[in-house]
Amino acid sequence: MGVRESVQNFAINQALKYIEGNPEENIPKLMALVDKLMPEGWYAAQRGAVRNVIEEKNNWYQLILRLYELDPGVRKAFFQNFIFNASLKGSAIQDEAKKREGCNVPWAILLDPTSACNLHCTGCWAAEYGNRLNLSLETIDSIIRQGKELGVYMYIYTGGEPLVRKADLIRLCEMHPDCEFLSFTNGTLIDEDFCKEMLRVRNFVPAISLEGFEDANDSRRGQGIYKKVRHAMELLKAHGLPFGVSTCYTSRNYADITSEEFFDMMIDSGVLFAWFFHYMPVGNDAAVELLPTPEQREAVYERIRAFRSTKAIFTMDFQNDAQYVGGCIACGRNYLHITAMGDGDPCVFIHYSNCNIHDTSLLDALKSPIFMAYHDNQPFNDNMLRPCPMLENPERLRAMVKETGAVNTDYESIESVDHLCDKTTPYAEKWKPKADELWGACKGCSGCKNGAECR
Ligand code: SF4
């Protein structure tokens, strides 16, 4: 650790210690001190936003206070690993590596420890992968070591059901205490013992899949799963552990999961963040009828944004929030996906690859043909409500896969890029006028068009 880094680290630790005593009283005092010490104009917009949150005591302020209901050791590890290592220190190293290497360098790496799963849900991309593949502990450790050299301190497990390999995941938390690990999970394997292990290692955060209330959830995931998930949430909350929900909106459940009732249920259950994914018709047997209509997607867009200014929960609606990250984040622009077989995919939905982590380095994977094609073409559309080269701009994915010779990494049933994009082309055509209307009406906020304040 360099001198500058040690000083920053020390300052952050002191600030956190100060807030710990009495967050309600000390957060405003600390902000006033920052304002006094920081040269005028430095991070003015960000400081202004934080000051508003404190003065208005709005839903974001309530969310900050909810962090102080967590176990103190877990909270400290989260601030250290997520805020300092992954976002401050990590971003600086990533930026240097991007310039030096001329390729994308991600903020997070998603990987599948296993393709095995104890459930079989309708429309799950993981279900298409077969169920007997695993990345060894040594391979995951090697990916993390290589990632840290590039400034990556955020690792996200997908699958399969990652918790099928609980013991290895806890071991990896111990081996890399400076990283934050987040895991998508169906929640059914979270029990008292695992909560105790999470409290011990401090750097493991589950994101539990939920598709709505009991009927909607269990019709996709299986009878009795909703009750098991609610039980897992109770355990996590009782142990002061942070956790989120991951949900996929379809033509069937979009109203359920964007209802006020659903948001309130999540908050009451202790959920700190909710990640909303648009249903993707990936795989030869994908159910195209689950794709939301333009009106249904607009309803999701409107409701999540409305709740963002009233509910004490952090939400991300990946397909409708691309404006905050400048478009598609795949192929290492913000993240990449490594399958249980070791193939380096652009993202969890796009399964075309030219590289395998067993015979190439992480850096060379980032320079592989399809990764460089993404790098050279992102963003794929100026309209940030049409970010995806598969869903909203299918001609772009067809061209990149054909030009780079990337092959499909679905081990059970190979899907050609034409088959995939033929399914999304009608969707893209129908969504375009609605997306143009919404984007034209968007005033733009930080990171997008006009620099003005949005809803
Ligand atoms: S390829 Fe599509 S689904 Fe994947 S990150 Fe980019 S926009 Fe999202």
Side-chain angles (χ1 to χ4, degrees):
M1 195 185 279
V3 176
R4 190 164 159 231
E5 212 178 287
S6 308
V7 171
Q8 282 177 331
N9 205 0
F10 178 76
I12 287 175
N13 272 319
Q14 289 303 105
L16 292 176
K17 221 186 262 177
Y18 176 66
I19 295 175
E20 266 318 302
N22 185 342
E24 275 210 76
E25 200 173 290
N26 293 340
I27 289 173
K29 281 191 196 162
L30 185 69
M31 196 56 213
L33 189 68
V34 169
D35 278 343
K36 210 164 133 191
L37 295 178
M38 226 180 221
E40 216 180 312
W42 276 29
Y43 297 101
Q46 289 87 342
R47 275 158 52 200
V50 174
R51 218 175 298 116
N52 276 351
V53 166
I54 293 169
E55 282 165 12
E56 290 173 13
K57 292 206 183 325
N58 59 20
N59 57 311
W60 290 94
Y61 184 75
Q62 299 310 323
L63 179 59
I64 293 171
L65 291 187
R66 289 187 60 210
L67 294 178
Y68 283 87
E69 292 165 9
L70 299 175
D71 172 81
V74 172
R75 179 170 55 244
K76 184 166 179 286
F78 171 79
F79 282 131
Q80 178 70 47
N81 294 351
F82 182 79
I83 309 278
F84 184 71
N85 294 352
S87 305
L88 295 173
K89 178 174 96 172
S91 296
I93 304 172
Q94 291 153 28
D95 286 347
E96 274 173 27
K98 274 179 213 171
K99 280 190 207 128
R100 190 180 63 238
E101 303 294 342
C103 62
N104 282 333
V105 173
W107 172 75
I109 295 176
L110 270 74
L111 50 93
D112 301 348
T114 180
S115 66
C117 184
N118 53 338
L119 305 179
H120 191 90
C121 309
T122 316
C124 172
W125 75 78
E128 311 303 325
Y129 267 125
N131 58 13
R132 289 180 299 277
L133 305 167
N134 289 293
L135 286 174
S136 71
L137 181 77
E138 294 71 28
T139 301
I140 301 175
D141 177 45
S142 163
I143 293 168
I144 297 171
R145 284 176 192 281
Q146 293 179 62
K148 285 203 279 192
E149 292 201 356
L150 296 171
V152 186
Y153 288 84
M154 185 77 207
Y155 294 86
I156 304 179
Y157 298 127
T158 57
E161 169 51 51
L163 296 195
V164 166
R165 292 187 55 200
K166 277 179 192 180
D168 283 341
L169 302 191
I170 290 293
R171 181 80 194 102
L172 286 158
C173 289
E174 290 170 333
M175 291 161 84
H176 298 283
D178 52 352
C179 294
E180 195 68 13
F181 294 91
L182 186 140
S183 182
F184 290 101
T185 172
N186 59 41
T188 58
L189 300 173
I190 293 174
D191 55 18
E192 182 75 32
D193 287 346
F194 191 61
C195 286
K196 284 183 183 148
E197 286 293 85
M198 280 189 268
L199 278 177
R200 185 173 65 76
V201 294
R202 300 177 167 181
N203 53 347
F204 188 91
V205 179
I208 303 177
S209 303
L210 201 55
E211 308 305 337
F213 289 106
E214 192 156 8
D215 286 350
N217 188 71
D218 288 0
S219 68
R220 184 162 172 210
R221 299 197 165 260
Q223 281 310 305
I225 302 301
Y226 183 79
K227 285 197 174 74
K228 287 188 181 170
V229 165
R230 294 301 300 270
H231 177 63
M233 289 175 165
E234 279 167 24
L235 280 175
L236 291 162
K237 189 179 178 190
H239 285 85
L241 285 160
F243 66 99
V245 152
S246 149
T247 185
C248 172
Y249 52 87
T250 70
S251 56
R252 297 209 184 120
N253 73 348
Y254 79 98
D256 218 14
I257 60 169
T258 55
S259 65
E260 182 156 27
E261 212 185 341
F262 191 70
F263 269 71
D264 289 343
M265 180 278 290
M266 289 194 286
I267 295 167
D268 291 345
S269 306
V271 176
L272 288 170
F273 63 91
W275 285 0
F276 291 86
F277 292 93
H278 185 293
Y279 173 73
M280 299 291 190
V282 178
N284 281 321
D285 298 329
V288 184
E289 64 279 10
L290 290 178
L291 278 166
T293 64
E295 293 69 30
Q296 290 168 345
R297 179 165 169 183
E298 182 186 16
V300 171
Y301 166 90
E302 297 286 358
R303 290 181 196 190
I304 292 176
R305 280 169 190 238
F307 288 137
R308 205 167 269 160
S309 53
T310 56
K311 301 288 180 190
I313 185 168
F314 179 82
T315 54
M316 200 71 194
D317 172 6
F318 286 93
Q319 218 58 30
N320 290 328
D321 280 339
Q323 70 190 74
Y324 301 114
V325 287
C328 169
I329 57 176
C331 271
R333 192 171 154 264
N334 293 75
Y335 90 106
L336 71 148
H337 176 222
I338 299 172
T339 70
M341 183 79 113
D343 293 319
D345 280 350
C347 83
V348 286
F349 300 112
I350 310 286
H351 305 152
Y352 297 93
S353 175
N354 310 95
C355 60
N356 188 289
I357 206 69
H358 292 117
D359 43 51
T360 193
S361 67
L362 177 63
L363 186 56
D364 285 342
L366 292 166
K367 293 180 179 174
S368 65
I370 195 160
F371 277 63
M372 289 310 289
Y374 265 70
H375 170 268
D376 296 343
N377 284 286
Q378 285 162 323
F380 295 103
N381 203 307
D382 290 338
N383 182 333
M384 291 287 141
L385 290 167
R386 298 172 60 209
C388 185
M390 180 258 286
L391 187 69
E392 294 109 351
N393 308 278
E395 68 289 353
R396 307 296 299 270
L397 187 68
R398 279 186 216 263
M400 288 192 296
V401 169
K402 289 177 184 175
E403 278 162 18
T404 60
V407 296
N408 187 244
T409 58
D410 185 326
Y411 317 111
E412 296 244 303
S413 173
I414 299 290
E415 181 173 37
S416 73
V417 72
D418 284 329
H419 186 268
L420 173 63
C421 292
D422 283 351
K423 285 178 285 185
T424 54
T425 299
Y427 173 95
E429 284 165 3
K430 275 193 265 167
W431 173 242
K432 182 180 180 303
K434 179 57 76 183
D436 288 346
E437 176 197 321
L438 291 170
W439 186 240
C442 173
K443 286 184 285 171
C445 5
S446 53
C448 95
K449 292 191 294 186
N450 305 324
E453 196 61 30
C454 194
R455 272 173 276 205

